[in-house]
Amino acid sequence: MSTAPRIAVDSADRAAVDGRHIRALTFQSVRMEYLRHVLSELSITAAGCRALVIGSGRGLPARGLAQLGFEVVAADPSPAATALARDADNGLGITYLTSPAEELDLPDGTFDLVYCADTLEITGRPQTVLAQAARVLRPAGAFVYDTVNRTLVSRLIYLGAFQAFPGTRIMPRGRYAAHRLRRPAELAEALDRAGLSAKDVSAFKPRDVRGLVRATRGRRRGTLTDEQLPELVGMVLEREGSPAVTYLGYAVRRA
């Protein structure tokens, strides 16, 4: 009889199923595609600019920004994730901090861009997170984020498939809750209260939901590695789409 896999976030054990890392791997391509769009829209040149990644996990978004030419600081509340990110740095010179998003120990107005990953759908204090991000941004700096909408479909996937159903569970139970998932309009209001002007929301989703199911089941069975999942899931950006589950967006700090 097969044994259920161990579900563990920020684990160095390659046999453990780490849904947070799986999510980061499958999101990376659309995150970087959207970031390049934002940089173009705002005429931001990475060289000579500083970027902060909130909720950096094992450092994938931070490494992507560093490869674009930013000087990058990566902050995450997990010491284990910070250690894994530092080990994977590959000489990029990123500064790694273990810090909760709600209490960033960083000076005011020192970043040109803040990317918020794996945070807004987790925190119980989103307004504090946004206030901290706005505080460390320079005037006219960009706040970029991805998060999870609160819809019937998103609840079925994030609360059901990803953390409850035995055949597809990849997350610890309780990591996601319906009240912590936020609709774009709700987030736009929170951004405004933090002094950030919302500019865009873009949906993204798997190319084919059957690929997502095959990926999660295959990873649980051990027939697929983490590195094989992005191609199988095939996340695509929908600039004009209404987000049924996940979406990206950006805002600009007001003077």
Side-chain angles (χ1 to χ4, degrees), residues 184-195:
E186 296 169 343
L187 192 50
E189 292 175 359
L191 287 164
D192 184 66
R193 290 193 294 271

Side-chain angles (χ1 to χ4, degrees), residues 1-6 220-221:
M1 185 173 67
S2 62
T3 304
R6 185 169 74 91
R220 281 180 54 88
R221 291 172 179 149

Side-chain angles (χ1 to χ4, degrees), residues 173-191:
R173 288 183 173 88
R175 182 168 179 82
Y176 301 105
H179 70 277
R180 295 198 297 269
L181 309 182
R182 294 172 179 94
R183 298 187 178 101
E186 296 169 343
L187 192 50
E189 292 175 359
L191 287 164

